Amino acid sequence: MTQQQALEILKTGANVFLTGAAGSGKTHVLNEYIRFLRERRVSVGITASTGIAATHIGGLTIHSWAGIGIARELSDDAIAQIAEFPRVAKRMRATEVLILDEISMLDANRLDLVDRVARYVRGSFEPFGGIQVVLCGDFFQLPPVADTQGAEPEFAYHAHAWEEADLCVCYLHERFRHEDEEFYAILDAIRNASADEHIRNLLLATADAPHVPTAKLYSHNVNVDRENARKLAELPGAFKTFHMNSYGAKKVAEALTQSCLAPELLELKKGAAVMFVKNNFEEGYVNGTLGTVEGFNEMGWPLVRTRTGNALTAAPMEWSVLNEQGKPIAGIKQVPLRLAWAITIHKSQGMTLDEAQIDLSQAFEPGMGYVALSRVRTYAGLRITGLNDTALRVHTGTLQHDTLFKKESDTVEAEYIRTPREDILRRQSAFLKRIGAGAPKKQKRNALEETRELVLLEHTIAEMARMRDLKEATILSHIEDLKISDPELDIRYLKDAIHPKKFDEIAAAFLQTGRNEKGVYPLAPVMDLLDDAYSYPELRLVRLFLG
């Protein structure tokens, strides 16, 4: 299923399980749907199964949102007590759509608890009290954490609420993060539980790669802390310290502080390897962008040179939790960086990295190897320094259910394709009317955002330039910036603007001339190699697809 098909199904009000391999654009679809709802003043609850995942999408943990805390089981009396909490009751009654991200890490019992609380608060026997539920995630990622007694938790698809919600499965089959077929094959082999000695040897062969990636991923915190402290201490000069500030509801702010990837106390020096931990499309970085601190500006903020050569200022940014009306109830502010010589695999979930050195010798749970490997865009960006048997395993039962999910998604997609467009629009209109949606608000958008909207509508570069009274070169610059900030943005339709033979010839020329010291494919050497046979816009268009 494509991203656009999934988005159109979401807009009909169906309960949805949105899934797909790493890099297939699940978060992109969620963000588009959230944007759609907020423009129409629809009350949407944005949640995730973990604190880190919640900060990525600007929401609460599902445990906090539903008032269930850490409990796995609650009596009817306990459910009634939770329903009396004013904050829980108010937001559940107001919520029309509930987003729950990283569903793989929420166990079945807790999903059932959320369902029970929602039904009780809203006084409805419908699943989740009649709220549209959007569950998002990939069960090949990290599983639910066992409790202190060691009881093995069940995946969310075993919950009674899962079955009763009658979820439409939207399995995204496109991939936007990874850029080479060899790497596809490795990741697919792990997902299919067919990773053999050949796959193991391919991974271990990366240990001899001449280039040592800046970022290192470990399975345990102790290795990460030791590596970052050692590397920072080796740098000359004094520390520059940045303190996190908070506002709003104290407990919510404290939860944000604990789950945010930016540390409460950030210590940097010139030369420190750092990673941006928040998306900022306008400034040109995303969660996972790597770089080196080159100094500090007159305001004291870090000046970072990214691995692609871009010079960025890491000014403080805000992480906030919004209520169902989109207004902040608490927030924190910090420079959006963390030391990036090392990071844990758990904390890397949701990131996109150009390269990483990964130690899987102490992987301790199924899915950990897949999570770590799938953070990286290409096989060339990998360096595996250790690998145990657990690293290449997936959780028991996941493969069987994944096959069922694909079949269910195929059925949903076929039904969508058969349904006349006017019927789909009628369902979407009826859903918006039922939940009391307003007319779309007119948003002030910057130049990049306007181009992005036109790309999503699959306008050609010439059409976008004409519609906005801009030069085609300017539109190309916008798309280049958009692909840096949102690698999952689907621009494949733009390939149709150039003949396949021309595309292949230009692409081969880029590969022959290679990247410069900043990791960028320069245009001039390709123009010289091809004897000016093609225009600069044609070269730039092809370069968009080379990563």
Side-chain angles (χ1 to χ4, degrees):
M1 182 177 295
T2 67
Q3 293 180 353
Q4 191 60 37
Q5 287 172 334
L7 185 59
E8 292 298 314
I9 290 168
L10 284 167
K11 291 178 182 178
T12 66
N15 291 334
V16 167
F17 170 43
L18 179 65
T19 189
S24 59
K26 297 184 292 293
T27 301
H28 176 78
V29 173
L30 280 188
N31 287 333
E32 288 299 309
Y33 190 44
I34 291 168
R35 185 203 312 270
F36 170 83
L37 294 169
R38 284 185 168 161
E39 285 178 351
R40 289 156 180 79
R41 295 176 290 281
V42 174
S43 181
V44 53
I46 301 173
T47 72
S49 58
T50 70
I52 291 173
T55 62
H56 289 339
I57 60 172
L60 294 168
T61 64
I62 187 63
H63 314 71
S64 175
W65 184 87
I68 62 174
I70 62 173
R72 272 211 173 97
E73 295 185 7
L74 291 170
S75 66
D76 289 342
D77 287 343
I79 294 289
Q81 288 179 346
I82 291 172
E84 292 177 1
F85 296 159
R87 185 173 295 173
V88 172
K90 182 178 180 180
R91 65 173 161 243
M92 277 202 176
R93 291 193 184 104
T95 298
E96 298 294 347
V97 180
L98 174 63
I99 308 288
L100 206 173
D101 199 13
E102 298 292 4
I103 189 63
S104 73
M105 298 184 73
L106 187 75
D107 64 276
N109 283 359
R110 289 198 174 107
L111 184 62
D112 280 335
L113 287 182
V114 175
D115 175 46
R116 287 173 60 197
V117 173
R119 292 187 193 216
Y120 191 99
V121 169
R122 293 171 66 91
S124 170
F125 290 109
E126 291 186 78
F128 297 93
I131 298 172
Q132 183 197 20
V133 177
V134 181
L135 308 180
C136 181
D138 175 15
F139 286 106
F140 286 102
Q141 304 273 339
L142 296 173
V145 178
D147 60 28
T148 54
Q149 284 74 41
E152 188 72 19
E154 291 187 306
F155 279 111
Y157 51 69
H158 289 296
H160 298 297
W162 183 285
E163 182 177 355
E164 293 183 11
D166 192 24
L167 296 158
C168 286
V169 178
C170 295
Y171 202 121
L172 303 181
H173 57 72
E174 303 165 299
R175 295 197 193 182
F176 303 96
R177 178 183 298 157
H178 307 110
E179 301 169 357
D180 64 70
E181 292 302 321
E182 186 174 32
F183 199 32
Y184 276 144
I186 292 172
L187 294 175
D188 284 343
I190 298 174
R191 286 181 73 92
N192 297 330
S194 60
D196 54 14
E197 198 64 25
H198 173 65
I199 297 296
R200 176 181 289 275
N201 290 336
L202 282 174
L203 292 172
L204 291 175
T206 63
D208 298 324
H211 174 63
V212 179
T214 301
K216 298 180 181 179
L217 301 186
Y218 292 99
S219 54
H220 292 78
N221 278 305
V222 62
N223 303 104
V224 169
D225 294 341
R226 184 189 303 122
E227 177 73 6
N228 283 333
R230 180 181 68 82
K231 298 290 286 186
L232 188 64
E234 289 176 354
L235 294 175
F239 293 102
K240 184 79 173 177
T241 303
F242 302 90
H243 295 270
M244 182 181 289
N245 297 313
S246 63
Y247 68 88
K250 185 177 179 180
K251 288 187 177 180
V252 177
E254 288 175 350
L256 271 174
T257 300
Q258 292 172 5
S259 59
C260 183
L261 287 174
E264 193 170 1
L265 178 66
L266 174 65
E267 292 184 323
L268 297 176
K269 291 182 181 179
K270 184 178 179 180
V274 292
M275 176 188 299
F276 285 89
V277 293
K278 190 171 177 62
N279 293 332
N280 189 327
F281 299 155
E282 292 182 12
E283 294 299 323
Y285 59 81
V286 295
N287 181 19
T289 297
L290 296 168
T292 303
V293 176
E294 291 192 328
F296 304 90
N297 68 8
E298 64 278 3
M299 298 291 292
W301 310 132
L303 301 173
V304 178
R305 178 73 62 177
T306 70
R307 297 306 300 270
T308 57
N310 294 328
L312 304 175
T313 300
M317 287 197 69
E318 182 175 324
W319 288 257
S320 60
V321 174
L322 308 180
N323 62 19
E324 286 67 28
Q325 287 71 44
K327 296 180 180 179
I329 57 177
I332 55 176
K333 291 183 179 180
Q334 175 61 295
V335 170
L337 298 173
R338 68 175 294 122
L339 294 175
W341 287 289
I343 189 171
T344 64
I345 293 170
H346 274 81
K347 286 187 171 67
S348 76
Q349 187 157 326
M351 288 183 171
T352 300
L353 303 173
D354 291 322
E355 57 183 28
Q357 178 172 307
I358 305 173
D359 182 0
L360 290 168
S361 62
Q362 299 180 63
F364 56 86
E365 63 184 2
M368 184 169 277
Y370 180 77
V371 169
L373 295 171
S374 61
R375 298 310 94 204
V376 186
R377 294 183 191 277
T378 65
Y379 177 74
L382 277 179
R383 194 176 196 228
I384 305 299
T385 60
L387 188 66
N388 65 13
D389 292 337
T390 302
L392 299 184
R393 288 175 51 209
V394 292
H395 211 278
T396 305
T398 299
L399 182 59
Q400 181 181 358
H401 276 84
D402 191 66
T403 301
L404 293 174
F405 292 145
K406 286 179 179 177
K407 290 181 179 178
E408 291 176 32
S409 179
D410 289 344
T411 300
V412 172
E413 182 179 1
E415 175 65 23
Y416 170 83
I417 292 171
R418 285 196 302 268
T419 304
R421 179 62 181 164
E422 56 268 24
D423 287 352
I424 292 173
L425 292 174
R426 193 177 299 115
R427 293 178 196 172
Q428 293 174 349
S429 178
F431 171 61
L432 291 175
K433 183 177 180 180
R434 178 173 68 79
I435 62 176
K441 294 186 290 186
K442 290 186 178 180
Q443 303 285 328
K444 290 185 178 180
R445 297 174 296 172
N446 60 33
L448 281 182
E449 189 64 23
E450 290 185 28
T451 298
R452 180 177 174 280
E453 294 294 335
L454 294 177
V455 168
L456 291 174
L457 294 172
E458 298 193 356
H459 285 287
T460 66
I461 290 173
E463 289 171 343
M464 288 186 269
R466 185 170 61 254
M467 292 166 69
R468 300 189 51 206
D469 195 23
L470 295 172
K471 295 180 179 179
E472 290 187 22
T474 303
I475 297 296
L476 276 166
S477 295
H478 289 176
I479 298 172
E480 288 168 345
D481 291 340
L482 287 167
K483 284 297 289 180
I484 291 172
S485 61
D486 184 5
E488 296 176 354
L489 181 66
D490 188 359
I491 61 168
R492 289 173 300 170
Y493 76 94
L494 291 175
K495 253 187 176 180
D496 296 339
I498 188 167
H499 192 279
K501 186 177 179 180
K502 285 185 178 182
F503 185 97
D504 291 343
E505 186 176 355
I506 295 171
F510 271 116
L511 295 176
Q512 182 177 339
T513 57
R515 301 176 189 262
N516 60 21
E517 67 280 359
K518 296 179 180 179
V520 176
Y521 287 110
L523 298 171
V526 175
M527 184 65 80
D528 292 340
L529 182 64
L530 296 175
D531 294 325
D532 297 336
Y534 302 109
S535 66
Y536 274 108
E538 287 175 317
L539 300 192
R540 292 177 70 186
L541 178 59
V542 173
R543 186 172 64 175
L544 285 169
F545 295 91
L546 300 181

